[in-house]
Amino acid sequence: MNLSKKSLMHMYETMIRIRLFELKLQEFFAAGEIPGFVHLYLGEEAVATGACTALTDSDKITSTHRGHGHLLAKGGDLKLMMAEIFGRQTGYCKGKGGSMHIADMDLGILGANGIVGGGGPLSVGAALAAKYQKTDDVAMCFFGDGASNQGTTQEALNMASAWKLPLVFVNENNGYGISCPQCKSMAVVDIADRAAAYDMPGVVVDGNDVLAVHEAVVEAVKRARKGEGPSLIECKTYRWRGHFEGDACTYRCVEELEEWKGKDPIPRFEAKLIESNTLTKAEAEETWKRIEKDVDEAVEFAKSSPMPSTSALMDDVYA
Amino acid sequence: MSEKTYLQALNEALRQEMESDEKVFILGEDVGQFGGCFGVTQGLFAEFGEERVMDTPITESTIVGAAAGAAACGLRPVAELMFVDFIGVAFDQLFNQAAKMRFMFGGKATVPMTLRMPQGAGIGAAAQHSQSLESWFMNIPGLKVVIPSTPHDAKGLLISAIRDDNPVVFLEHKLLYGATGEVPDESYSIELGKADVKREGSDVTIVAYSQMLYSALEAAEQLKADGINAEVVDPRCLLPLDKDTIIDSVKKTHKLVVAHEAVTFAGAGAEIAAIIADEAIEYIDAPIKRVGAPFCPVPFSPPLEQFYIPGAGQIIEAVKSIC
Ligand SMILES: Cc1ncc(C[n+]2csc(CCOP(=O)(O)OP(=O)(O)O)c2C)c(N)n1
């Protein structure tokens, strides 16, 4: 695939942005400064990045409980996201949603989701709207290996296919639904095999290789835009942290984690960029530092923002 | 008898029922080695093995449906949903299948299943993980709805729920898992549909359950300073509802406040108030007051969430407005 330096650098920066954002959250959650649940995307950055960089701003995505990566990759604002996760009035949802409910309709982000399998039917609706209104937009549904078993997900695959909707299903197979390994929740090894049941292409890619993800998704997006219907891309990856921050993670072994950490998508891509003279070591260092500063500023913004006022509680219940 | 947490009491009830009846088994997400989302099934996997403590895929509809099907075929499943909020995914299996099978089949099916679900706000879990949905289930003939507030009640009621021959929805408040109290070590049951007077009083009846019971008791203590002696009735079970105990209390106090964490509008409090209006209005000498959450989804940010959850303050206010 021939990608411009600009696109490659955008992917590189996006992955770093997600990485540093999540590491910050990890730190502040441990310090007790973030309420509620936080599910980190560490280790899976290549999936959201490779997939969302195949989309335009007006394309739509549905996300999951592990959504920070998707939202950032789709262009989500660091400050507004951070403030929301800290429960501040200046956040994306004015502090009413938190980590699992961040949305930005202007960027085509139909929300993270606290319900496993909640996004599938919504993405069908988004794709349907695009087809109905004859826009050029496509929708993309992110969902986990666990979510792939939900009836809602299977129903969405079926309807999208029956109606030839412009929809790309991006399965993030990180091997576990909380403590349940994939082998205990389904008999198939490749979730992409399920695509056959709905007569759509099913592709397995290395989810820790941002270019592999991107390439497969670009194909699927093309197909969707041409009106040829949905595709299912399965990205094999791994989450580095427990299911949520605070999970002791006793159900998987350290060796497995170490093995996957060896496949860290960011240094892999960085090495490729340096090798191909797209990036110098000095530029790489500068990039990490610059983004670290952006993330710090986002934290600063969040922490200096006010908590929501109780007088706002009843706002936005009805239009 | 010893001091136990609500969580330990539930765990003990499950263990004892599994020991005494081979037909009892557990199914749900991460209930096995992981011990359940909040730890209620801890240790049971090690003790009873994966044949009786089954980790399911993330498929609530099939968890509830499989429990109903297995129950109809002679077993006594105890299914767990991680949060009551996920019942939406599984609702058909509960209200059209499990709850109606017996009636639709002319009494030929028996569905002795228990569906345990944590509910309630207070941990910053936001709108899709914090709701109190008991009134949804109260409107479904065929179900029983149990909602214990103390460790003692939790154990005895869970044992009764498992032994009951009907589908029982068993609602646990997630903030109560750490609540402690005296719990007998041996197995015991508490009849479903029997309220418990948690505090005797003469001036006003406060009906409250689950986490709100504690706010009601706190309110009652504080009201003493104003010379108001409140009686606190914990229905423990909302379907069937022990009308008699509530009516008897109202006959004595002539005033009623109903308090719950669910939104006030169309909540359980509305039904309780209506029952008193229907059947005991002549004993009431002040408006019936309801305390509940405002009519909006549960907000995330801590100051909003704390403001949202009703507490002793609102109960006191309600009582004072009629006493
Ligand atoms: C309907 C529903 N059931 C269960 C849950 C609890 N839960 C949250 S995330 C999760 C695991 C999801 O696994 P997967 O889809 O593989 O995504 P991952 O966490 O691995 O990214 C579960 C069971 C939920 N939020 N919604």
Side-chain angles (χ1 to χ4, degrees):
Chain A
M1 218 181 184
N2 248 343
L3 289 167
S4 66
K5 170 163 179 171
K6 194 170 158 225
S7 310
L8 292 168
M9 286 305 290
H10 177 59
M11 285 184 196
Y12 177 60
E13 292 191 6
T14 302
M15 285 204 285
I16 296 173
R17 193 169 298 117
I18 299 171
R19 172 69 51 91
L20 294 177
F21 186 85
E22 296 294 68
L23 285 172
K24 247 330 154 223
L25 288 185
Q26 183 185 329
E27 181 186 327
F28 281 100
F29 188 87
E33 296 200 39
I34 296 174
F37 296 122
V38 173
H39 308 85
L40 297 183
Y41 200 62
L42 291 169
E44 306 185 34
E45 295 88 347
V47 179
T49 303
C52 287
T53 47
L55 300 178
T56 66
D57 273 359
S58 63
D59 288 333
K60 309 290 185 281
I61 64 166
T62 61
S63 173
T64 68
H65 58 285
R66 200 177 302 289
H68 309 155
H70 311 143
L71 313 183
L72 286 170
K74 190 73 174 50
D77 182 273
L78 278 174
K79 287 186 173 144
L80 301 187
M81 281 184 57
M82 196 65 91
E84 185 58 35
I85 295 167
F86 272 78
R88 306 302 160 123
Q89 191 222 308
T90 53
Y92 259 124
C93 323
K94 303 176 191 160
K96 288 185 173 172
S99 165
M100 280 193 289
H101 306 296
I102 299 176
D104 186 339
M105 299 306 284
D106 295 334
L107 289 172
I109 301 170
L110 270 67
N113 209 308
I115 301 297
V116 172
L122 298 174
S123 68
V124 168
L128 178 63
K131 186 172 177 174
Y132 190 90
Q133 295 168 311
K134 301 195 172 59
T135 71
D136 199 28
D137 294 342
V138 305
M140 177 175 287
C141 170
F142 287 101
F143 66 113
D145 45 292
S148 73
N149 295 321
Q150 278 285 31
T152 47
T153 304
Q154 298 302 316
E155 290 169 25
L157 284 161
N158 181 61
M159 200 179 284
S161 174
W163 294 353
K164 277 210 182 317
L165 297 180
L167 182 46
V168 180
F169 291 93
V170 177
N171 176 246
E172 301 178 303
N173 186 350
N174 61 18
Y176 292 84
I178 308 191
S179 75
C180 192
Q182 187 198 340
C183 63
K184 280 183 89 184
S185 76
M186 65 187 87
V188 292
V189 173
D190 292 327
I191 290 167
D193 287 353
R194 292 179 168 172
Y198 303 107
D199 193 29
M200 67 172 82
V203 183
V204 179
V205 296
D206 176 353
N208 282 25
D209 178 347
V210 69
L211 292 177
V213 173
H214 186 72
E215 205 166 320
V217 172
V218 164
E219 270 313 299
V221 168
K222 254 192 225 155
R223 190 179 132 83
R225 280 205 217 285
K226 275 196 289 189
E228 291 169 9
S231 312
L232 169 53
I233 317 286
E234 176 185 3
C235 308
K236 306 262 193 200
T237 184
Y238 200 78
R239 69 167 146 80
W240 287 3
R241 302 288 299 167
H243 172 66
F244 48 81
E245 286 308 282
D247 174 5
C249 220
T250 52
Y251 44 84
R252 46 178 219 192
C253 62
V254 186
E255 291 75 25
E256 187 179 273
L257 172 62
E258 288 312 319
E259 189 194 324
W260 276 94
K261 280 199 161 173
K263 303 184 211 167
D264 185 339
I266 302 182
R268 268 174 79 179
F269 188 52
E270 191 174 87
K272 254 191 212 168
L273 292 179
I274 292 175
E275 223 170 85
S276 61
N277 293 321
T278 314
L279 178 76
T280 66
K281 282 214 168 100
E283 279 170 343
E285 234 168 76
E286 181 278 324
T287 307
W288 281 90
K289 280 212 188 98
R290 173 165 45 82
I291 297 175
E292 178 136 45
K293 214 175 120 246
D294 293 345
V295 173
D296 283 340
E297 277 170 17
V299 171
E300 213 33 61
F301 173 76
K303 295 209 336 175
S304 62
S305 292
M307 284 291 186
S309 149
T310 53
S311 64
L313 179 69
M314 300 305 289
D315 294 351
D316 302 322
V317 179
Y318 294 101
Chain B
M1 187 87 107
S2 61
E3 178 114 333
K4 287 173 194 138
T5 63
Y6 188 93
L7 187 137
Q8 287 167 328
L10 292 167
N11 183 268
E12 205 167 270
L14 291 168
R15 175 174 291 105
Q16 289 174 350
E17 282 307 283
M18 289 180 80
E19 277 166 355
S20 69
D21 185 353
E22 286 224 325
K23 294 198 180 90
V24 178
F25 70 96
I26 293 172
L27 74 165
E29 291 157 25
D30 302 280
V31 295
Q33 191 219 334
F34 196 71
C37 188
F38 290 95
V40 176
T41 58
Q42 244 160 43
L44 301 177
F45 181 81
E47 201 172 328
F48 298 100
E50 64 183 356
E51 295 76 29
R52 294 185 68 195
V53 184
M54 304 171 191
D55 277 327
T56 64
I58 308 168
T59 52
E60 285 75 15
S61 189
T62 307
I63 294 171
V64 176
C73 295
L75 298 180
R76 284 190 185 274
V78 183
E80 171 178 306
L81 295 197
M82 292 186 156
F83 292 80
V84 77
D85 312 70
F86 308 160
I87 191 62
V89 180
F91 222 51
D92 180 69
Q93 291 296 326
L94 183 67
F95 88 101
N96 270 328
Q97 314 301 334
K100 296 183 172 51
M101 258 191 215
R102 185 176 184 81
F103 180 85
M104 294 186 304
F105 300 171
K108 288 201 198 85
T110 305
V111 188
M113 62 174 277
T114 303
L115 179 58
R116 296 185 31 252
M117 297 178 283
Q119 62 169 18
I123 63 166
Q128 293 174 337
H129 288 73
S130 303
Q131 296 162 90
S132 292
L133 300 179
E134 65 274 9
S135 69
W136 293 15
F137 308 109
M138 287 172 70
N139 202 240
I140 302 171
L143 292 184
K144 292 192 178 181
V145 182
V146 180
I147 186 156
S149 53
T150 66
H152 174 271
D153 290 352
K155 179 172 173 183
L157 288 168
L158 182 52
I159 288 175
S160 295
I162 295 171
R163 293 182 187 170
D164 198 275
D165 279 339
N166 297 285
V168 179
V169 168
F170 195 92
L171 300 168
E172 302 156 11
H173 197 295
K174 45 179 106 71
L175 285 191
L176 289 180
Y177 285 129
T180 54
E182 290 295 318
V183 178
D185 296 327
E186 68 278 6
S187 173
Y188 62 96
S189 58
I190 296 172
E191 192 184 336
L192 302 187
K194 278 271 169 288
D196 186 36
V197 178
K198 289 281 196 287
R199 183 188 195 278
E200 302 230 4
S202 49
D203 301 329
V204 59
T205 298
I206 305 173
V207 174
Y209 53 85
S210 194
Q211 163 76 359
M212 278 295 266
L213 171 76
Y214 296 88
S215 301
L217 291 171
E218 188 190 324
E221 276 312 298
Q222 290 188 33
L223 284 163
K224 278 201 304 200
D226 297 289
I228 298 170
N229 186 8
E231 176 146 306
V232 178
V233 179
D234 177 1
R236 302 194 290 196
C237 194
L238 294 169
L239 182 62
L241 179 70
D242 181 357
K243 296 197 278 189
D244 293 344
T245 300
I246 299 170
I247 290 174
D248 285 347
S249 177
V250 164
K251 280 183 179 169
K252 188 167 76 173
T253 65
H254 310 296
K255 293 187 181 68
L256 176 64
V257 172
V258 189
H260 50 60
E261 189 184 305
V263 293
T264 311
F265 187 82
E271 181 58 38
I272 292 169
I275 288 170
I276 297 303
D278 273 352
E279 301 182 30
I281 195 75
E282 65 273 30
Y283 296 100
I284 287 283
D285 60 17
I288 298 171
K289 289 289 167 193
R290 290 179 288 154
V291 173
F295 200 66
C296 70
V298 184
F300 165 67
S301 189
L304 289 185
E305 187 185 33
Q306 282 317 311
F307 180 71
Y308 170 92
I309 302 170
Q314 281 106 310
I315 298 176
I316 291 171
E317 219 173 279
V319 168
K320 284 193 183 163
S321 75
I322 54 171
C323 279

